Amino acid sequence: MSDVRHSSSPQTPEGPPDGFDTGAAVTRSMLGWGVVAGPFYLVVGLILAVTREGFDFSRHPLSVLMLGDGGWMQITNLALSGAMVLVAGIGLARAGARGAGIAVGIYGGAMILSAVFPPDPMPGFPPGQEGATEPGTSGILHLAFGGIGFVALAVGAFLLGRWFARRGDRPFSVLSLVAGIVVLVGFLGGVALGPAGMALLWLAVVAGFAWLAAASVRVYGTVPHPDTGRHAA
C-alpha cells in the first residue's frame, strides 16, 4: 500500500494545478501598487494640507505636515506610499525591467526612510514657527533621503525608457525619458530655489507618480496572463 496520491492535473512549483501561473499573478499584483501609490499619497496629503492650520501650498511641501499635532498622519502616509512604491519596483524587476525596478525600489525605500526623519520647521508651519535657524540632523537626513529618492526615480525612468526602446515601444521610451528629466530638474530646481521653487517641487512629485502609474500599467501588459497555461490546456 502507498500513501502517495497522484494528480491528473499538471502543477508548477510556484502555483496550483491546472496551469495557473502564480508567478505572473504575483508580478501583476505588485505592479498594481505602482498605480495606487501616487493617488493615495497625493489625496491623503492634500486632505491633510487643507485641514491643517498654517499650511500654504505656495510655500510648503507636503513633508512639513509631518510636524506638529497630527504629524503622525503624514508620516504614515509617506511610509505606506513608500512601501507601495517599493513593491511596484520589485514588480518591475520581476517583469524583466531589472535596472528600472531596482531604481524605483530605491525610491520607495528612500520614502520610507524620509518618514523616519521629519524635516525642519518652515516659516509659518507649524503655526507660529519662524523656521529653523540652522538645519537639524533630522532635517538634513530627510532632505538627503528625498534627494536620493528623486534621483533614483529619474534613473528608473531613464532605464525603463531604454528597456521599452529595446522592445520597440518608442512612444513610451520617449515618455519615460521626458518624465525622468522633469523629475530631476523639478527636484533640483525646487531645492535650489527654496520657497520660490515650490511649484517645481510639486511638479517633480506629480510627474514622478504619474509616470510610475503609467509605467506600471504598461509593464503590466507585458506580463503573460496567469491563466494562459490553463486556457492553452
Side-chain angles (χ1 to χ4, degrees), residues 21 24 35 37 66-68 76 83 115 117 129 145 149 179 207 218 223 227 231:
D21 189 344
V35 180
M66 298 168 62
L67 304 173
T76 303
F117 301 99
Q129 288 282 343
F145 286 124
R218 197 77 162 193
V223 181
D227 275 337
H231 292 160

Side-chain angles (χ1 to χ4, degrees), residues 4 18 23-24 43 46 48 56 69 71 91 105 107 115 149 190 204 210:
V4 177
D18 300 327
V43 169
L46 291 175
L48 294 176
D56 184 344
D69 295 336
Y107 175 51

Side-chain angles (χ1 to χ4, degrees), residues 69-215:
D69 295 336
W72 65 269
M73 290 184 285
Q74 178 60 12
I75 292 174
T76 303
N77 180 29
L78 185 58
L80 289 178
S81 300
M84 295 178 198
V85 172
L86 178 59
V87 171
I90 296 173
L92 289 173
R94 286 171 61 95
R98 182 175 177 81
I102 292 174
V104 170
I106 291 173
Y107 175 51
M111 289 178 66
I112 295 172
L113 290 172
S114 293
V116 176
F117 301 99
D120 291 321
M122 295 185 68
F125 200 92
Q129 288 282 343
E130 296 299 327
T133 55
E134 56 183 54
T137 301
S138 180
I140 292 174
L141 289 174
H142 181 85
L143 183 60
F145 286 124
I148 292 171
F150 277 105
V151 171
L153 182 60
V155 170
F158 296 146
L159 292 176
L160 193 64
R162 290 181 57 188
W163 188 76
F164 275 111
R166 291 195 296 267
R167 298 175 66 90
D169 191 342
R170 181 169 176 77
F172 205 85
S173 175
V174 173
L175 177 63
S176 292
L177 175 62
V178 172
I181 293 173
V182 171
V183 169
L184 196 57
V185 173
F187 174 75
L188 294 177
V191 171
L193 295 175
M198 196 55 58
L200 288 174
L201 193 58
W202 276 95
L203 176 63
V205 172
V206 174
F209 278 129
W211 170 79
L212 179 60

Side-chain angles (χ1 to χ4, degrees), residues 2-82:
S2 173
D3 292 331
V4 177
R5 297 182 180 181
H6 298 282
S7 172
S8 59
S9 301
Q11 184 169 359
T12 63
E14 290 192 0
D18 300 327
F20 184 81
D21 189 344
T22 303
V26 170
T27 299
R28 285 184 157 210
S29 177
M30 287 180 163
L31 290 170
W33 289 109
V35 180
V36 176
F40 179 88
Y41 177 76
L42 291 172
V43 169
V44 173
L46 291 175
I47 291 174
L48 294 176
V50 299
T51 55
R52 295 281 301 278
E53 181 185 356
F55 187 87
D56 184 344
F57 285 95
S58 66
R59 295 192 300 160
H60 302 141
L62 289 180
S63 59
V64 298
L65 293 170
M66 298 168 62
L67 304 173
D69 295 336
W72 65 269
M73 290 184 285
Q74 178 60 12
I75 292 174
T76 303
N77 180 29
L78 185 58
L80 289 178
S81 300

